[in-house]
Amino acid sequence: MAKALCNHGLRRTFLLYQISRDYVKSKTGFFHSCFVAPLVISGAMSDTPKPGVDNQKSEALSPSLRPPAPGVSPSSILCPPSSISSPDLRSFWLMFVVEFQNAFSDNTLKFLVTFFIVGVVASGEKRNALVPLVGAVFALPFILFSMLGGFFADRFSKRNVSVVIKCAEIGIMSIASVGLWLPSVALMLAAVFLMSTHSAIFGPTKYGMLPELLPEKKLSWGNGIFGLGTFSAIITGTIVAGTLSDLFAKRQVYSGGVLIVLALVGLSLCLAVSRLPAAAPHKQFRINFLGDFYSQMKMIRADYTLFLGAIGIAFLYFLGALLQPTILFYGKDILHLDDTHVGWLQAALALGIGLGSLAAGFLSGGKIEYGLVPVGMAGLTVFAASISWMKLTFYGMAGNLCALGFFGGFYSVPLNAIIQYRPDPRNKGAVIAASSLLTWIGVLLASGVYYLLGAICHFTSPQMFLAGAILSLIGTIYCLQLVPDSLVRFLFWLLTKSVYRIRVEGRDNIPERGGALFVCNHVSFVDAPLLMASTDRKIRFLMHREYYHLWWVRPFTKMLGLIPIASDLGPRELIESLHAAGQAVREHHVVCIFAEGQITRTGELAEFHRGFERIMRGTHAPIVPVALVGVWGSIFSFEGGKFFWKWPREFPYHVTIRYGEHLPPTATPEEVRGAVEALLSAR
């Protein structure tokens, strides 16, 4: 699971989320690791932060199938869009094949060494020590050398860097072949370390080359194609590694020969790529990357939601790295599978991640849907636990792993989108690099935990899955304590995805940051959940005190930060309520008021009360007019003279939510009502 998840990385979530968001915003376009997305969206999928790409407009969910290299320098990530007028498609397709070969060979070598250790060298405690060591050796170079890769990508011609790296790969695969021939575990581990170092340095180069080969309008397409190729290569490499392990048995030197031939092919293709100038030939390398990491983490901690997102993603990669060798041992010890079929189990997990990421991207509806996080965590808990106690066949195990991966993708999409979306654009590259480095630290830590549980505590494979389920359950509970409104958002998400079909117009008018006051017409009892489902901004609603203090409503009021309004207690209490709402706006929250004061009894727009003028007094935030269209007639409206007790006109019920252009904080009730009325009558 680690390889598929780690290689799946932040890129994936960005792809599904950003492309769907950008399509709404720019009318042009749709997780790094989601290899299915490009098939559905014709390549509109963008990879994680790529050097030279404007990440606010070209990322979503994609794969180099590992967390984005921390070495991608912020300056590279935030550099101006490509100014290439005509694409160099020949060089692009050459690099596509090189990237496919690199990901395939990288993954194949890692699993060949793992299968060799499991089948030939070790058993019992020694096996439980050596297999996680492979994972640690694989992860460490991404922590140590990715920053160096970013420097090389900027300082020298990316084409020349690629050629040198591919020359090094031939030597690395030669070392691996000797290790497989002798056999020598030390040489094999050295080859894995060197190949991982090779990939860490190559990452910023290959993705940074895209803006130099393609014009800006082709960058999303190019990243999508690369994402598809990389994820496909990783799945294929996992399967082929098992096949080669079985096919050549004790003659694994032949497998090494295959990898050497592939490295030669990669080198010949790199030599055919067009020559490119260095992007920053005078750039100086900063050795103290840990100091940079510390300062970047301080920056992340300043934003509580962003910090939780980074920790959540690191936990997912930690869990994946913990369960990946467990899958291998389960297949060997419990199901008694050969290496080929164990490879298929790993592929089933990777497939589930892709499908889950794709589904989450569609269900998010062009916004960050925090409600998917507890869903994903719950799914990870359930299916990890089911594997631990159920007696499964090969196909049953494959199905459970696919489901486990599906919810892993579900969980990762909103968290990865947070990492891409919330940072200040000036610091986005630094934040993404720090988050990526944190995920690799999680992968490295998982190898140590696996050694502790497997080699010292003697956990069996089912017990290891149970440990993963317990960790997921603890994570779920902790998440709900830290962000309790995510559970409520999930419940509202279920409501709006099952009973309603929501269409959002004017999403561009929702402020991405800072305070704002939404002024909306009031049509039904579900107006607030509908508005919550239409945006990823947390909305604090004003609620009448009579409803606010109902025993079954009270738990949700605190979770959602609702503001009670006491219009029945006299002017002083009313002014205090409006002042609290105004203070929330000044503290950069989004507040929503239904200015009519009550749910309409006729379906028509009533007069707006003047209370929101006091809310906006002394603020500089905008007023956003909002119109709920089509809600009248639902069972929660007063159509027919009653709430609830009537049949809906259709199922699912279609609703449109329109956000209007900003009005100044000094706008009068008549002006705001006129704006809402215009939205209601718009076609």
Side-chain angles (χ1 to χ4, degrees):
M1 184 173 183
K3 179 71 177 182
L5 280 173
C6 292
N7 290 329
H8 156 288
L10 298 179
R11 302 185 187 94
R12 197 160 224 168
T13 308
F14 302 159
L15 281 173
L16 290 181
Y17 161 67
Q18 259 314 52
I19 290 179
S20 58
R21 184 180 183 90
D22 286 348
Y23 180 81
V24 174
K25 287 190 172 184
S26 65
K27 307 293 190 294
T28 59
F30 170 64
F31 166 61
H32 141 259
S33 332
C34 183
F35 68 98
V36 187
L39 298 176
V40 179
I41 312 209
S42 302
M45 180 168 78
S46 163
D47 239 306
T48 75
K50 309 293 189 291
V53 182
D54 184 342
N55 294 311
Q56 284 184 293
K57 296 185 178 180
S58 64
E59 297 174 32
L61 263 184
S62 86
S64 172
L65 289 122
R66 54 173 53 94
V72 180
S73 64
S75 61
S76 296
I77 294 176
L78 297 175
C79 71
S82 172
S83 59
I84 303 297
S85 57
S86 60
D88 185 352
L89 291 179
R90 173 180 167 278
S91 294
F92 168 80
W93 287 113
L94 287 171
M95 287 306 300
F96 169 80
V97 178
V98 170
E99 164 59 6
F100 185 96
Q101 175 269 317
N102 182 77
F104 176 89
S105 297
D106 194 7
N107 201 59
T108 301
L109 175 62
K110 179 175 181 262
F111 274 96
L112 277 174
V113 173
T114 303
F115 288 141
F116 182 86
I117 290 174
V118 172
V120 178
V121 175
S123 60
E125 294 182 8
K126 189 177 180 182
R127 182 189 68 173
N128 285 332
L130 285 176
V131 169
L133 181 60
V134 176
V137 166
F138 179 80
L140 188 59
F142 285 93
I143 299 174
L144 298 178
F145 302 120
S146 288
M147 301 297 289
L148 182 62
F151 168 73
F152 284 154
D154 290 339
R155 175 67 175 78
F156 304 103
S157 165
K158 296 179 180 62
R159 183 261 189 190
N160 294 344
V161 173
S162 300
V163 170
V164 173
I165 287 174
K166 284 300 162 183
C167 288
E169 184 180 342
I170 297 172
I172 295 169
M173 291 308 182
S174 298
I175 294 173
S177 298
V178 173
L180 291 168
W181 173 54
L182 288 176
S184 169
V185 174
L187 281 178
M188 293 182 204
L189 291 176
V192 171
F193 180 86
L194 291 172
M195 191 62 190
S196 184
T197 301
H198 154 285
S199 297
I201 295 175
F202 187 43
T205 293
K206 64 191 177 187
Y207 288 111
M209 194 179 292
L210 291 186
E212 300 179 19
L213 299 176
L214 299 175
E216 181 183 5
K217 64 180 181 180
K218 285 278 190 178
L219 284 178
S220 290
W221 170 83
N223 281 310
I225 293 295
F226 259 50
L228 170 63
T230 305
F231 198 61
S232 302
I234 286 173
I235 294 178
T236 306
T238 303
I239 297 171
V240 170
T243 303
L244 290 176
S245 181
D246 286 334
L247 181 63
F248 294 124
K250 296 183 179 181
R251 300 169 295 168
Q252 287 303 317
V253 65
Y254 295 142
S255 299
V258 171
L259 295 176
I260 291 175
V261 171
L262 290 175
L264 287 168
V265 171
L267 174 60
S268 64
L269 295 175
C270 283
L271 289 170
V273 172
S274 301
R275 295 185 179 274
L276 299 169
H282 303 293
K283 184 174 182 177
Q284 299 296 316
F285 179 64
R286 296 186 64 184
I287 298 177
N288 187 18
F289 72 92
L290 290 179
D292 287 344
F293 173 68
Y294 177 75
S295 62
Q296 291 158 11
M297 285 305 300
K298 286 181 64 177
M299 186 189 310
I300 291 175
R301 290 197 65 179
D303 185 329
Y304 186 64
T305 302
L306 182 61
F307 178 69
L308 292 180
I311 295 297
I313 286 296
F315 170 76
L316 181 64
Y317 287 102
F318 166 85
L319 184 65
L322 183 67
L323 295 184
Q324 184 199 1
T326 306
I327 296 170
L328 189 153
F329 292 144
Y330 191 101
K332 289 289 186 180
D333 299 341
I334 307 297
L335 300 179
H336 306 291
L337 301 176
D338 57 22
D339 293 343
T340 300
H341 284 83
V342 171
W344 280 105
L345 290 181
Q346 301 281 358
L349 178 69
L351 178 63
I353 293 171
L355 294 176
S357 300
L358 176 64
F362 279 120
L363 293 173
S364 294
K367 58 183 175 58
I368 303 176
E369 183 46 74
Y370 302 104
L372 297 181
V373 175
V375 181
M377 288 292 285
L380 289 172
T381 302
V382 169
F383 285 99
S386 68
I387 294 174
S388 71
W389 62 267
M390 292 179 65
K391 294 182 178 180
L392 299 170
T393 64
F394 167 75
Y395 293 105
M397 182 64 171
N400 273 266
L401 287 175
C402 188
L404 186 70
F406 181 90
F407 284 101
F410 228 59
Y411 167 85
S412 69
V413 166
L415 295 180
N416 279 321
I418 288 171
I419 302 300
Q420 194 276 340
Y421 171 69
R422 285 193 64 94
D424 187 291
R426 295 169 296 179
N427 301 319
K428 190 183 295 290
V431 168
I432 291 172
S435 176
S436 175
L437 190 59
L438 189 64
T439 61
W440 283 110
I441 292 173
V443 172
L444 185 64
L445 179 63
S447 297
V449 173
Y450 189 92
Y451 173 79
L452 175 66
L453 296 179
I456 298 179
C457 298
H458 307 291
F459 274 36
T460 64
S461 297
Q463 289 173 333
M464 201 70 77
F465 273 108
L466 181 60
I470 293 173
L471 288 174
S472 298
L473 179 61
I474 293 173
T476 303
I477 296 172
Y478 186 61
C479 172
L480 293 177
Q481 287 180 337
L482 291 177
V483 193
D485 63 299
S486 64
L487 177 60
V488 181
R489 287 191 65 95
F490 167 60
L491 297 176
F492 288 160
W493 176 82
L494 284 180
L495 171 68
T496 56
K497 291 297 180 183
S498 57
V499 179
Y500 290 94
R501 291 292 182 270
I502 301 176
R503 177 183 177 184
V504 181
E505 298 178 2
R507 198 189 298 270
D508 278 353
N509 294 319
I510 302 175
E512 294 184 352
R513 291 177 176 81
L517 179 68
F518 290 178
V519 182
C520 185
N521 59 319
H522 206 2
V523 189
S524 73
F525 279 107
V526 294
D527 292 350
L530 291 173
L531 290 173
M532 290 178 61
S534 69
T535 176
D536 46 43
R537 291 293 306 267
K538 180 177 180 179
I539 306 176
R540 299 186 62 182
F541 293 89
L542 276 79
M543 173 179 277
H544 197 280
R545 188 182 60 87
E546 176 186 351
Y547 299 110
Y548 184 92
H549 289 292
L550 290 175
W551 67 269
W552 57 273
V553 175
R554 185 70 177 175
F556 299 101
T557 59
K558 291 186 177 180
M559 290 183 187
L560 298 175
L562 302 184
I563 302 170
I565 185 165
S567 59
D568 58 334
L569 294 182
R572 175 178 296 179
E573 288 76 10
L574 176 59
I575 291 174
E576 289 178 354
S577 298
L578 297 176
H579 176 75
Q583 184 60 31
V585 173
R586 284 186 286 273
E587 293 173 355
H588 308 296
H589 292 281
V590 173
V591 175
C592 180
I593 184 172
F594 298 103
E596 296 167 277
Q598 63 177 356
I599 296 175
T600 179
R601 296 302 193 267
T602 63
E604 300 297 326
L605 188 65
E607 295 299 318
F608 281 11
H609 296 188
R610 311 190 70 89
F612 70 82
E613 290 181 301
R614 182 171 288 275
I615 294 176
M616 299 303 290
R617 186 177 298 172
T619 72
H620 301 286
I623 295 175
V624 182
V626 187
L628 293 167
V629 183
V631 181
W632 180 257
S634 74
I635 62 174
F636 299 103
S637 70
F638 198 69
E639 187 198 40
K642 54 186 176 182
F643 294 107
F644 308 118
W645 302 108
K646 52 182 174 288
W647 291 103
R649 294 176 177 176
E650 58 179 343
F651 188 86
Y653 200 88
H654 290 79
V655 171
T656 299
I657 300 177
R658 294 176 180 149
Y659 289 91
E661 295 183 358
H662 295 182
L663 297 175
T666 56
T668 65
E670 292 75 19
E671 291 172 333
V672 177
R673 184 184 182 280
V676 173
E677 192 169 31
L679 291 173
L680 288 171
S681 60
R683 295 298 181 210

